[in-house]
Amino acid sequence: MDRKQCCVKLSVQPSRGLMDEKFIVLVQNALPGSQLTIRALHQCEDGHSWEAFGHYTADTTGTINVSEDPSIRGTYSGVEQMGLLWSLRPIPGSKPGLRMRKKNIQTPMEVTISVYQGHQTEGFADLVPLSGVVVERWYMAPGVRRIPVTEGGLTAALFLPLGPGPFPGLLDRYGLGGQLVEYRAALLASHGFASMAIDYVNSKFTIETGKMVDNQYFETAYRVLQQHPQVCKSRIAMIGFSFGTSITLKMAIYSEIIKLSAVVCISGTHVQPVDGSVEEILRFPYKNAGKTRFSEKDEKIWRDQLLPIPTDPSLKADVGRLQCPLLLVVGEDDQNWPAQESALDIKEMMARAGNSHLLTVLSYPNAGHLIEPPYTPHARSSTFKTVEIQEKVMCLWGGQTVEHSRAQEDAWKKILVFLRENLYGGRNPTSFSHL
């Protein structure tokens, strides 16, 4: 190793930040024109390790700025300021079907960013880095509080922004992955929204009784959020992902209790038995299990189970009755739900009903089903435990990594704008983004 290369300096600013906040990676004091590899390494809470790397060439001053200089090759190429995060992938030899999801949001995601001599692609464990920095990525901004919620039989967590409030409220539902998914709600609270993440698949009620929750469960969650002294009870929205959108639309349209200021549906559908219980809605796609397809890698493709979109009005949530703004986020390569076809039908239904002015559709070519907060690594496929028979299967979610990552970043920005416009009247809440 050249002696001068031993003096290479690596800096990442900010070294502590929110998950949706960009950072600047800067290499200095390298040999002018030298070939270097910049690598990110993260060990998940489940013990699995993920990596991303780019190959760079130092300029005439011995500098590399990842936000300005192109990666020649690696897990990403070109000028990609956040490529070291969104292109993270399981290290070679990992078991198949992994998906990165933060469970304990009260601790940061720690990423070690290192610089190596030469253009390396493997064997990093045996290499000595020229320099390294540990970066912390948080879903919870300083001052955000997590409050477990068990009132009324709920299994939920409420995240309150810093300050006295009152804050607009958000009810956050993920899909059928099970357990309480908190990271999006925590990040939304970091942007000024009192956000409650709800577990409706493996709730305490379901574990104790063996029964699925009913509509009353979600109405209870709404009441608990609405009645919190730091929540503005007249400004509450819902955000749903995947199957969570089915429940979100059902509650927004048909509940006598729930009155919303806005609705966000990500990667979902309005197809459901209108008069069905939560369990009946959940099991409805399985009636067409024979339409399940398989990829060349034997990954399950479920999107056809709800196609063609029914014409029977009893099998579609009547979005024409919606009285608040609705934002749909669609990945056009979604292989799990017919999100694109559903969005087109929703648009037609609302146009016929005269409420299409309430609808905004964000549709992204080559984005898949798992549209998450920015810089979340893309999982084109992963293992998934089905609710119906409680077995793990390999599912194809879809999406191409670069386009999917772009979609996540763009959609998140627009979701925040949509929520601010409809819950804060267009005014920006106090910024909580700096750690």
Side-chain angles (χ1 to χ4, degrees):
M1 182 186 300
D2 190 287
R3 183 174 297 176
K4 191 172 187 303
Q5 291 285 51
C6 295
C7 302
V8 167
K9 179 184 177 183
L10 173 67
S11 64
V12 182
Q13 295 296 331
S15 60
R16 301 179 74 234
L18 288 177
M19 276 298 300
D20 58 355
E21 186 176 1
K22 291 185 177 182
F23 52 47
I24 295 174
V25 179
L26 191 65
V27 177
Q28 296 171 296
N29 298 338
L31 286 174
S34 60
Q35 294 184 337
L36 298 172
T37 299
I38 302 177
R39 182 196 189 218
L41 177 67
H42 170 64
Q43 185 175 54
C44 287
E45 293 153 319
D46 58 13
H48 296 289
S49 293
W50 295 61
E51 69 173 3
F53 58 88
H55 292 166
Y56 292 89
T57 301
D59 67 13
T60 56
T61 68
T63 300
I64 298 169
N65 186 334
V66 172
S67 61
E68 297 177 356
D69 299 325
S71 167
I72 301 166
R73 66 185 65 83
T75 56
Y76 62 95
S77 60
V79 179
E80 295 290 350
Q81 182 171 354
M82 301 305 292
L84 288 167
L85 286 190
W86 61 250
S87 74
L88 282 165
R89 64 187 187 186
I91 63 172
S94 299
K95 72 175 185 178
L98 296 178
R99 175 185 173 192
M100 187 186 295
R101 304 185 88 185
K102 192 79 171 74
K103 294 183 179 179
N104 181 5
I105 46 72
Q106 294 178 287
T107 62
M109 172 186 177
E110 292 188 345
V111 182
T112 301
I113 297 179
S114 305
V115 58
Y116 295 85
Q117 185 166 308
H119 286 168
Q120 312 296 337
T121 59
E122 58 187 4
F124 287 98
D126 300 322
L127 299 175
V128 178
L130 301 173
S131 185
V133 174
V134 177
V135 176
E136 292 184 359
R137 309 292 292 174
W138 290 82
Y139 286 98
M140 288 178 69
V144 171
R145 287 170 292 151
R146 179 189 183 275
I147 303 171
V149 178
T150 57
E151 184 179 341
L154 295 173
T155 300
L158 174 62
F159 295 88
L160 291 173
L162 175 67
F167 305 101
L170 266 174
L171 290 169
D172 185 353
R173 294 187 193 86
Y174 261 83
L176 297 176
Q179 300 183 334
L180 187 58
V181 180
E182 302 181 16
Y183 51 86
R184 185 173 61 197
L187 194 54
L188 287 165
S190 298
H191 286 280
F193 304 98
S195 305
M196 183 187 290
I198 308 165
D199 183 355
Y200 59 93
V201 179
N202 291 310
S203 67
K204 184 180 179 182
F205 171 84
T206 298
I207 292 171
E208 291 179 350
T209 66
K211 300 177 181 178
M212 282 292 294
V213 300
D214 57 17
N215 296 346
Q216 186 179 350
Y217 183 83
F218 302 106
E219 292 174 343
T220 298
Y222 173 83
R223 281 198 183 102
V224 169
L225 180 62
Q226 186 185 46
Q227 292 168 6
H228 193 282
Q230 289 183 264
V231 173
C232 181
K233 65 181 181 180
S234 64
R235 295 186 178 186
I236 294 179
M238 283 190 182
I239 182 168
F241 167 77
S242 192
F243 181 76
T245 66
S246 301
I247 304 303
T248 294
L249 288 173
K250 180 179 178 65
M251 294 295 104
I253 296 168
Y254 300 109
S255 174
E256 299 279 332
I257 303 297
I258 296 174
K259 306 299 177 187
L260 299 175
S261 297
V263 172
V264 179
C265 290
I266 304 170
S267 303
T269 181
H270 61 318
V271 177
Q272 58 178 274
V274 169
D275 295 325
S277 65
V278 173
E279 184 170 8
E280 287 168 338
I281 295 172
L282 185 154
R283 300 195 185 283
F284 180 69
Y286 293 102
K287 293 182 178 181
N288 293 318
K291 291 185 176 181
T292 300
R293 290 186 287 120
F294 293 87
S295 72
E296 65 279 1
K297 296 180 180 179
D298 206 33
E299 302 152 326
K300 287 200 172 188
I301 301 172
W302 281 328
R303 68 185 317 276
D304 293 352
Q305 291 184 355
L306 294 178
L307 289 176
I309 300 295
T311 55
D312 184 347
S314 70
L315 296 179
K316 295 188 291 188
D318 188 1
V319 290
R321 290 174 52 176
L322 268 175
Q323 297 180 21
C324 68
L326 168 64
L327 176 64
L328 299 180
V329 180
V330 175
E332 295 179 13
D333 189 39
D334 191 331
Q335 299 298 312
N336 189 249
W337 281 117
Q340 186 176 19
E341 294 88 344
S342 296
L344 291 172
D345 194 61
I346 287 172
K347 185 176 181 179
E348 292 176 6
M349 290 176 68
M350 293 182 73
R352 288 196 299 268
N355 65 341
S356 59
H357 62 286
L358 296 174
L359 177 65
T360 302
V361 180
L362 304 177
S363 191
Y364 297 99
N366 293 320
H369 183 69
L370 302 179
I371 299 177
E372 295 275 30
Y375 319 127
T376 301
H378 170 232
R380 180 170 171 80
S381 62
S382 72
T383 55
F384 180 81
K385 183 181 287 187
T386 62
V387 175
E388 180 75 2
I389 54 178
Q390 290 292 299
E391 72 166 349
K392 281 191 174 183
V393 298
M394 190 70 75
C395 288
L396 181 64
W397 307 114
Q400 301 299 319
T401 298
V402 174
E403 294 95 327
H404 186 91
S405 301
R406 299 263 194 279
Q408 290 187 151
E409 185 175 355
D410 186 74
W412 183 252
K413 290 177 182 176
K414 291 174 179 174
I415 288 170
L416 292 178
V417 169
F418 176 81
L419 292 173
R420 286 169 186 153
E421 287 178 347
N422 291 290
L423 296 179
Y424 272 103
R427 294 177 291 109
N428 280 335
T430 302
S431 175
F432 302 95
S433 62
H434 297 292
L435 292 174

